[in-house]
Amino acid sequence: MTAVRSESAESAETATGAAPAPLRFPPGFIWGAATAAYQIEGAAAEDGRTPSIWDTFSHTPGRVLNGDTGDIAADHYHRFRDDVALMSGLHLGAYRFSVSWSRVQPTGRGPAVQRGLDFYRQLVDELLGRGITPVATLYHWDLPQELENVGGWTVRDTAERFAEYAGIVGGALGDRVPYFTTLNEPWCSAFLGYGSGVHAPGRTDPEAALKAAHHLNLAHGRAVGALRATLPAAAQTSITLNLHQIRPLSATPADLDAARRIDAVGNRVFLDPILSGNYPADLLADTAHLVDWEALVRDGDLAEISRPIDLLGVNYYTPTLVSDGRTHAEGTDLARNDGHGASAYSPWPGSEHVAFHLAPGETTAMRWSVDATGLYDLLMRISREHPELPTMVTENGAAYDDYLSPEGAVNDPQRIAYVHGHLAAVHRALADGADVRGYFLWSLMDNFEWAYGYSKRFGAVYVDFSTQRRIPKRSAHWYAAVARDNVLPDVPEEAGTS
Ligand code: IFM
C-alpha cells in the first residue's frame, strides 16, 4: 500500500506558518457513490418483479412517513443509462448498487427471471462502457415477501435460499463485476426489522431479532461459498456492516458496561463470527434469557460463517453515545435517541436499559451528530484487530434540507463540509496504517429513505420527484473534483468544479 503523509506532519507545517497542504490519496484509491435497489429503482411491478418486504411495509398505513413507497422512487429502472452518464460526468470511478432479489427470483427460490437479470447485466455493461467499476451488493434489505411469509430471516432455510440466489447473481454478473458484497448492514435487517420494528417486516420480538442475526450471518457465509464457486479468482467478496462507534457517556462502571453491551449486540454479533468464527461470550450471556443459542447455532455454522472474505465494507454516519439508563435521569427514551427511528420496542435485545444520547454540537437533518473522528476510530479499530483485512468505506454522507433555488441550483455547503471532514478522517487513518481501499458517498442521488420516505435527502444529485429531473448539487461538483484529482482540498470552501 502506498504511504500517505500523516496529518500531524501537515499540521506541523501550519504551525510553522506554511500553507496547509491538500491531502493526496494513494494511487488507485476508489472514489464512488452508492445506492440501493428499493431506494431508487421504482418499477416495482415490472418485468416479473414481485413484492419484497419493503413493498408490503411501505404500503401498510402508518409505517412510512407521508405514506411514501418505492413504487416509482427515482425511476432508475427506466433511467439507468442517463444516470450512468451522470456518474461519468461526476468522475466517479466506481458505483455501488444493490440487486433486487425479488426482481431476479420473485418467489425467493427456483429459477431466475431473465428480464430481471438482464436489467443488471445492462447496468453493468453501461458502467463498464464508461469506465466505472461496478460494485454489487446482493441484499440491501428487500427480502422477497414470499420468504417472509414462511418465517423470513428467523428461519434457517432463508440462508439456504440466499446462497442459491447468490450463485445465480454471481453466475450472471461475476465475469464483469470485480466486487461483490453479500449483505448491507445486517444489523438493520435483524434488529430494526425484527426488534424495534421500524423497518420491514416490522416485527417486534427480541428472540426473532437474534435468530435473524444468526441466519443473516449464515446467509453471508453460505453466499460467500456460492459466489466463490462461480466468480473468477480475482473477484473480491465482502460484507458491509454499519459499525457503531460507541462512546460511554462517563467512565462509571455502569456506563462502561452499557458501551460494552452495545458493542456486543451492535458490532461484535457480526464481526466476531464472520472474522473470527465465534460469537462473543458476553453477547451470549447478555441474551441467554431471550434465545437458545445452543439450539440456534448448529455444528458447522461458524465454519461456514467465517469463510474468508477479501474486504470489509464499513458504513459510518455518526457516533453512538450511551449510558446506563437506570443511572441517568435523562436520555432513557430509547425510541427517540438511538438514531434509528421511533418505536416503543428496543432494537438492542438484552440491553434495553441502555440509553442513547445526542452529543452536543452540529447535527444533520436526521438529527445525527456530525463527528468524523468516529470514522477514523472505526477504521483504526478494524486495522488493529484484523490487520490483514482491507476496508472500504461503502457508505458515508449526510441528509440536509436541500432546496432547489429559483435559478435551478442546490447549494449545500454543509454536505461539502461533512464529506470533507470525513475524507480527512479517512486520509488520517491511511496515514496511520489502515488499509482503506476506497470511499463511497451515500448517496449518488436523493432517494427513498426507508421509514422517512422522501423527506430526507442524502443525494449528491438532487431529484425532483415530480418530474424525475436530476440536478447535481454543489457538493456533487465538489466531490467530482476530489475524485478526478485524487486530492482533498485543504479547506472545504475551496471546492473545485468538474
Ligand atoms: O439510506 C440508508 C442506506 O440504505 C443504508 N445506510 C444508511 C443510509 C442512510 O440512512
Side-chain angles (χ1 to χ4, degrees), residues 370-428:
V370 177
D371 186 346
T373 62
L375 179 55
Y376 171 83
D377 291 344
L378 275 181
L379 293 172
M380 294 312 294
R381 172 185 180 172
I382 299 299
S383 169
R384 212 172 34 248
E385 293 178 0
H386 302 281
E388 73 300 340
L389 184 66
T391 51
M392 186 110 94
V393 179
T394 36
E395 281 183 31
N396 173 245
Y400 288 107
D401 296 325
D402 304 314
Y403 68 94
L404 191 58
S405 76
E407 296 75 39
V410 182
N411 191 14
D412 56 344
Q414 288 171 299
R415 183 172 289 104
I416 294 175
Y418 178 100
V419 177
H420 184 278
H422 286 77
L423 284 174
V426 173
H427 191 275
R428 190 171 147 226

Coordinates of all heavy atoms in Angstrom, one line a residue, residues 370-428:
V370 N -22.6 15.2 13.9 CA -21.5 15.2 13.0 C -20.2 15.1 13.7 O -19.8 15.9 14.5 CB -21.5 16.5 12.1 CG1 -20.3 16.6 11.1 CG2 -22.8 16.7 11.4
D371 N -19.5 13.9 13.5 CA -18.3 13.7 14.2 C -17.4 12.7 13.4 O -17.6 11.5 13.5 CB -18.5 13.2 15.6 CG -17.3 13.0 16.4 OD1 -16.2 13.1 15.8 OD2 -17.4 12.8 17.6
A372 N -16.5 13.3 12.6 CA -15.7 12.5 11.7 C -14.7 11.6 12.5 O -14.2 10.6 11.9 CB -15.0 13.3 10.7
T373 N -14.4 12.0 13.7 CA -13.4 11.1 14.5 C -13.9 9.7 14.6 O -13.2 8.8 14.8 CB -13.0 11.7 15.8 OG1 -14.2 11.8 16.6 CG2 -12.5 13.1 15.7
G374 N -15.2 9.6 14.6 CA -15.8 8.2 14.8 C -15.4 7.3 13.6 O -15.1 6.1 13.8
L375 N -15.3 7.9 12.4 CA -14.9 7.1 11.2 C -13.5 6.7 11.4 O -13.1 5.6 11.1 CB -15.2 7.9 9.9 CG -14.8 7.2 8.6 CD1 -15.5 5.8 8.5 CD2 -15.1 8.1 7.4
Y376 N -12.6 7.7 11.8 CA -11.2 7.4 12.0 C -11.1 6.2 13.0 O -10.4 5.2 12.8 CB -10.5 8.6 12.5 CG -9.1 8.3 12.9 CD1 -8.0 8.3 12.0 CD2 -8.8 8.1 14.3 CE1 -6.7 8.0 12.4 CE2 -7.5 7.9 14.7 CZ -6.5 7.8 13.7 OH -5.2 7.5 14.1
D377 N -11.8 6.4 14.1 CA -11.7 5.4 15.2 C -12.1 4.0 14.7 O -11.5 3.0 15.0 CB -12.5 5.8 16.4 CG -11.9 7.0 17.1 OD1 -10.8 7.3 16.9 OD2 -12.7 7.6 17.9
L378 N -13.2 3.9 13.9 CA -13.6 2.6 13.4 C -12.6 2.0 12.5 O -12.3 0.8 12.6 CB -14.9 2.8 12.7 CG -16.2 2.8 13.4 CD1 -17.4 2.9 12.5 CD2 -16.4 1.5 14.3
L379 N -12.1 2.8 11.6 CA -11.1 2.2 10.6 C -9.9 1.8 11.3 O -9.3 0.7 11.0 CB -10.8 3.3 9.5 CG -12.0 3.7 8.6 CD1 -11.6 4.9 7.7 CD2 -12.4 2.5 7.7
M380 N -9.5 2.5 12.3 CA -8.3 2.1 13.1 C -8.6 0.8 13.9 O -7.7 0.0 14.1 CB -7.8 3.2 14.0 CG -7.3 4.4 13.2 SD -6.1 4.0 11.9 CE -4.7 3.4 12.8
R381 N -9.8 0.7 14.4 CA -10.1 -0.5 15.2 C -10.0 -1.7 14.3 O -9.4 -2.7 14.7 CB -11.6 -0.4 15.7 CG -12.0 -1.7 16.4 CD -13.5 -1.6 16.8 NE -13.9 -2.9 17.4 CZ -15.0 -3.1 18.0 NH1 -15.9 -2.1 18.1 NH2 -15.4 -4.2 18.5
I382 N -10.6 -1.7 13.1 CA -10.6 -2.8 12.2 C -9.1 -3.1 11.9 O -8.7 -4.3 11.8 CB -11.4 -2.6 11.0 CG1 -12.9 -2.4 11.4 CG2 -11.3 -3.8 10.0 CD1 -13.6 -3.5 12.1
S383 N -8.4 -2.1 11.6 CA -7.0 -2.2 11.2 C -6.2 -2.9 12.3 O -5.3 -3.8 12.1 CB -6.4 -0.9 10.8 OG -5.1 -0.9 10.7
R384 N -6.5 -2.5 13.5 CA -5.8 -3.1 14.7 C -6.2 -4.5 14.9 O -5.3 -5.4 15.1 CB -6.1 -2.2 15.9 CG -5.1 -2.1 17.0 CD -5.5 -1.1 18.0 NE -6.9 -1.0 18.4 CZ -7.6 0.1 18.1 NH1 -7.2 1.1 17.5 NH2 -8.9 0.1 18.5
E385 N -7.5 -4.8 14.9 CA -8.0 -6.1 15.2 C -7.8 -7.1 14.1 O -7.7 -8.3 14.4 CB -9.5 -6.0 15.7 CG -9.6 -5.2 17.0 CD -11.1 -5.1 17.4 OE1 -12.0 -5.6 16.7 OE2 -11.3 -4.4 18.5
H386 N -7.9 -6.6 12.9 CA -7.7 -7.5 11.7 C -6.8 -6.9 10.7 O -7.2 -6.4 9.6 CB -9.1 -7.7 11.1 CG -10.1 -8.3 12.1 ND1 -10.1 -9.6 12.4 CD2 -11.0 -7.7 12.8 CE1 -11.0 -9.9 13.3 NE2 -11.6 -8.7 13.6
P387 N -5.5 -6.8 11.0 CA -4.6 -6.1 10.2 C -4.5 -6.6 8.7 O -4.1 -5.8 7.8 CB -3.2 -6.2 10.9 CG -3.4 -7.2 12.0 CD -4.9 -7.4 12.2
E388 N -4.9 -7.8 8.5 CA -4.7 -8.4 7.2 C -5.9 -8.1 6.3 O -5.9 -8.4 5.1 CB -4.6 -9.9 7.3 CG -5.8 -10.7 7.7 CD -6.4 -10.4 9.1 OE1 -5.8 -9.8 9.9 OE2 -7.6 -10.7 9.3
L389 N -7.0 -7.5 6.9 CA -8.2 -7.3 6.1 C -8.4 -5.8 5.7 O -8.6 -4.9 6.5 CB -9.4 -7.6 7.1 CG -10.8 -7.6 6.4 CD1 -10.9 -8.7 5.4 CD2 -11.9 -7.8 7.5
P390 N -8.4 -5.6 4.3 CA -8.6 -4.2 3.9 C -10.0 -3.8 4.1 O -10.9 -4.6 4.2 CB -8.3 -4.3 2.3 CG -7.7 -5.7 2.1 CD -8.1 -6.5 3.3
T391 N -10.2 -2.5 4.2 CA -11.6 -2.0 4.4 C -11.9 -1.1 3.2 O -11.0 -0.6 2.5 CB -11.7 -1.2 5.7 OG1 -10.7 -0.2 5.7 CG2 -11.7 -2.1 6.9
M392 N -13.2 -0.8 3.1 CA -13.7 0.2 2.1 C -14.8 0.9 2.8 O -15.6 0.3 3.4 CB -14.2 -0.6 0.9 CG -14.6 0.2 -0.3 SD -13.5 -0.1 -1.6 CE -14.3 -1.3 -2.5
V393 N -14.8 2.2 2.7 CA -15.9 3.0 3.3 C -17.0 2.9 2.2 O -17.0 3.5 1.2 CB -15.6 4.4 3.6 CG1 -16.8 5.2 4.1 CG2 -14.4 4.5 4.6
T394 N -18.0 2.0 2.5 CA -19.0 1.7 1.5 C -20.2 2.7 1.6 O -21.0 2.7 0.7 CB -19.5 0.2 1.6 OG1 -19.5 -0.2 2.9 CG2 -18.5 -0.7 0.8
E395 N -20.3 3.4 2.7 CA -21.3 4.5 2.8 C -20.8 5.5 3.8 O -20.4 5.2 4.9 CB -22.6 3.9 3.3 CG -23.5 3.2 2.3 CD -24.8 2.8 2.9 OE1 -25.4 3.5 3.8 OE2 -25.3 1.8 2.4
N396 N -21.0 6.8 3.4 CA -20.8 7.9 4.3 C -21.5 9.1 3.7 O -21.3 9.2 2.4 CB -19.3 8.1 4.6 CG -19.1 9.4 5.4 OD1 -18.5 10.3 5.0 ND2 -19.5 9.3 6.7
G397 N -22.2 9.9 4.4 CA -22.8 11.1 3.8 C -23.8 11.6 4.8 O -23.8 11.2 6.0
A398 N -24.6 12.6 4.3 CA -25.4 13.3 5.3 C -26.7 13.8 4.6 O -26.7 14.2 3.4 CB -24.7 14.5 5.9
A399 N -27.8 13.8 5.3 CA -29.0 14.4 4.8 C -29.1 15.8 5.3 O -28.8 16.1 6.5 CB -30.3 13.6 5.3
Y400 N -29.5 16.7 4.4 CA -29.7 18.1 4.8 C -31.0 18.6 4.1 O -31.5 17.9 3.1 CB -28.5 19.0 4.4 CG -27.4 18.8 5.3 CD1 -26.2 18.1 4.9 CD2 -27.4 19.2 6.7 CE1 -25.1 17.9 5.7 CE2 -26.3 19.0 7.5 CZ -25.2 18.3 7.0 OH -24.1 18.1 7.9
D401 N -31.6 19.7 4.6 CA -32.8 20.1 4.0 C -32.5 20.9 2.7 O -32.7 22.2 2.7 CB -33.6 21.0 5.0 CG -34.0 20.1 6.2 OD1 -34.3 18.9 6.0 OD2 -34.0 20.6 7.3
D402 N -32.2 20.2 1.7 CA -31.8 20.9 0.4 C -33.0 21.4 -0.3 O -34.1 20.9 -0.2 CB -31.1 19.9 -0.5 CG -30.0 19.2 0.1 OD1 -29.1 19.9 0.7 OD2 -29.9 17.9 0.0
Y403 N -32.8 22.5 -1.0 CA -33.9 23.0 -1.8 C -33.3 23.6 -3.1 O -32.2 24.0 -3.2 CB -34.7 24.1 -1.1 CG -34.0 25.3 -0.9 CD1 -34.1 26.4 -1.7 CD2 -33.2 25.5 0.3 CE1 -33.4 27.6 -1.5 CE2 -32.5 26.6 0.5 CZ -32.6 27.7 -0.4 OH -31.8 28.8 -0.2
L404 N -34.2 23.5 -4.1 CA -33.8 24.0 -5.4 C -34.1 25.5 -5.5 O -35.3 25.9 -5.3 CB -34.7 23.2 -6.5 CG -34.3 23.3 -7.9 CD1 -32.9 22.8 -8.2 CD2 -35.3 22.4 -8.7
S405 N -33.1 26.3 -5.8 CA -33.3 27.7 -5.9 C -34.1 28.1 -7.1 O -34.1 27.3 -8.1 CB -32.0 28.4 -5.8 OG -31.4 28.3 -7.1
P406 N -34.7 29.3 -7.2 CA -35.4 29.7 -8.4 C -34.4 29.7 -9.6 O -34.9 29.5 -10.7 CB -35.8 31.1 -8.1 CG -35.8 31.2 -6.6 CD -34.8 30.3 -6.1
E407 N -33.1 29.8 -9.4 CA -32.2 29.7 -10.5 C -31.9 28.3 -10.9 O -31.1 28.0 -11.8 CB -30.8 30.4 -10.1 CG -30.9 31.9 -9.8 CD -31.5 32.2 -8.5 OE1 -31.3 31.5 -7.5 OE2 -32.4 33.2 -8.4
G408 N -32.4 27.3 -10.2 CA -32.2 25.9 -10.5 C -31.0 25.3 -10.0 O -30.5 24.3 -10.5
A409 N -30.5 25.9 -8.8 CA -29.3 25.3 -8.2 C -29.5 24.8 -6.8 O -30.5 25.3 -6.2 CB -28.2 26.4 -8.2
V410 N -28.7 23.9 -6.4 CA -28.8 23.4 -5.0 C -27.5 23.7 -4.3 O -26.5 23.0 -4.7 CB -29.2 21.9 -4.9 CG1 -29.3 21.5 -3.4 CG2 -30.5 21.6 -5.6
N411 N -27.5 24.6 -3.4 CA -26.2 24.9 -2.7 C -26.2 24.2 -1.3 O -27.0 24.5 -0.5 CB -26.2 26.5 -2.5 CG -24.9 26.9 -2.1 OD1 -23.9 26.2 -2.1 ND2 -24.8 28.2 -1.6
D412 N -25.3 23.3 -1.1 CA -25.3 22.5 0.1 C -23.9 22.5 0.8 O -23.2 21.5 0.9 CB -25.7 21.1 -0.2 CG -24.9 20.4 -1.3 OD1 -24.2 21.1 -2.1 OD2 -25.0 19.2 -1.4
P413 N -23.5 23.7 1.2 CA -22.1 23.7 1.9 C -22.0 22.8 3.1 O -20.9 22.3 3.3 CB -22.0 25.2 2.3 CG -23.4 25.8 2.3 CD -24.2 25.0 1.3
Q414 N -23.1 22.6 3.8 CA -23.0 21.7 5.0 C -22.5 20.3 4.6 O -21.8 19.7 5.2 CB -24.3 21.6 5.7 CG -24.7 22.9 6.4 CD -26.1 22.7 6.9 OE1 -27.0 22.6 6.2 NE2 -26.3 22.8 8.2
R415 N -23.1 19.8 3.4 CA -22.7 18.5 3.0 C -21.3 18.5 2.6 O -20.5 17.5 2.8 CB -23.7 18.0 1.8 CG -23.4 16.6 1.4 CD -24.4 16.1 0.4 NE -25.7 15.8 1.0 CZ -26.8 16.6 0.8 NH1 -26.7 17.8 0.1 NH2 -27.9 16.3 1.4
I416 N -20.8 19.5 1.9 CA -19.4 19.6 1.5 C -18.5 19.5 2.8 O -17.6 18.7 2.8 CB -19.1 20.8 0.7 CG1 -19.9 20.8 -0.6 CG2 -17.6 21.0 0.5 CD1 -19.8 22.1 -1.5
A417 N -18.9 20.3 3.8 CA -18.1 20.3 5.0 C -18.1 18.9 5.7 O -17.1 18.4 6.1 CB -18.6 21.4 6.0
Y418 N -19.3 18.3 5.7 CA -19.4 16.9 6.3 C -18.5 16.0 5.6 O -17.7 15.2 6.2 CB -20.9 16.5 6.2 CG -21.1 15.1 6.8 CD1 -21.6 14.9 8.1 CD2 -20.8 13.9 6.0 CE1 -21.8 13.6 8.6 CE2 -21.0 12.7 6.5 CZ -21.5 12.5 7.8 OH -21.7 11.3 8.3
V419 N -18.6 15.9 4.2 CA -17.8 14.9 3.5 C -16.3 15.3 3.6 O -15.5 14.4 3.7 CB -18.3 14.9 2.0 CG1 -17.4 13.9 1.2 CG2 -19.8 14.4 2.0
H420 N -16.0 16.6 3.5 CA -14.6 17.0 3.7 C -14.0 16.4 5.0 O -13.0 15.9 5.0 CB -14.5 18.5 3.6 CG -13.1 19.0 3.7 ND1 -12.4 19.1 4.8 CD2 -12.3 19.4 2.7 CE1 -11.2 19.6 4.5 NE2 -11.1 19.7 3.2
G421 N -14.8 16.6 6.1 CA -14.3 16.2 7.4 C -14.1 14.7 7.4 O -13.1 14.2 8.0
H422 N -15.0 14.0 6.8 CA -14.9 12.5 6.9 C -13.8 12.0 5.9 O -13.1 11.0 6.3 CB -16.3 11.9 6.6 CG -17.2 12.0 7.8 ND1 -17.8 13.2 8.0 CD2 -17.6 11.2 8.8 CE1 -18.6 13.1 9.2 NE2 -18.4 11.9 9.6
L423 N -13.6 12.7 4.8 CA -12.5 12.2 3.9 C -11.1 12.5 4.6 O -10.2 11.8 4.5 CB -12.6 12.9 2.6 CG -13.7 12.4 1.7 CD1 -13.8 13.2 0.4 CD2 -13.3 10.9 1.3
A424 N -11.1 13.6 5.3 CA -9.8 13.9 6.1 C -9.6 12.8 7.1 O -8.4 12.4 7.3 CB -9.9 15.3 6.7
A425 N -10.7 12.3 7.7 CA -10.5 11.2 8.7 C -10.0 10.0 8.0 O -9.2 9.2 8.6 CB -11.9 11.0 9.4
V426 N -10.5 9.7 6.8 CA -10.1 8.5 6.1 C -8.6 8.7 5.8 O -7.8 7.7 5.9 CB -10.9 8.3 4.8 CG1 -10.3 7.2 3.9 CG2 -12.4 8.0 5.1
H427 N -8.2 9.9 5.3 CA -6.8 10.1 5.0 C -5.9 9.9 6.2 O -4.8 9.3 6.1 CB -6.7 11.5 4.4 CG -5.4 11.8 3.8 ND1 -4.3 12.2 4.6 CD2 -4.9 11.6 2.5 CE1 -3.2 12.3 3.8 NE2 -3.6 12.0 2.5
R428 N -6.4 10.4 7.3 CA -5.6 10.2 8.6 C -5.5 8.8 8.9 O -4.4 8.3 9.3 CB -6.3 11.0 9.7 CG -5.5 11.1 10.9 CD -6.2 12.0 11.9 NE -6.0 11.6 13.3 CZ -6.9 11.5 14.2 NH1 -8.2 11.8 14.0 NH2 -6.6 11.1 15.4

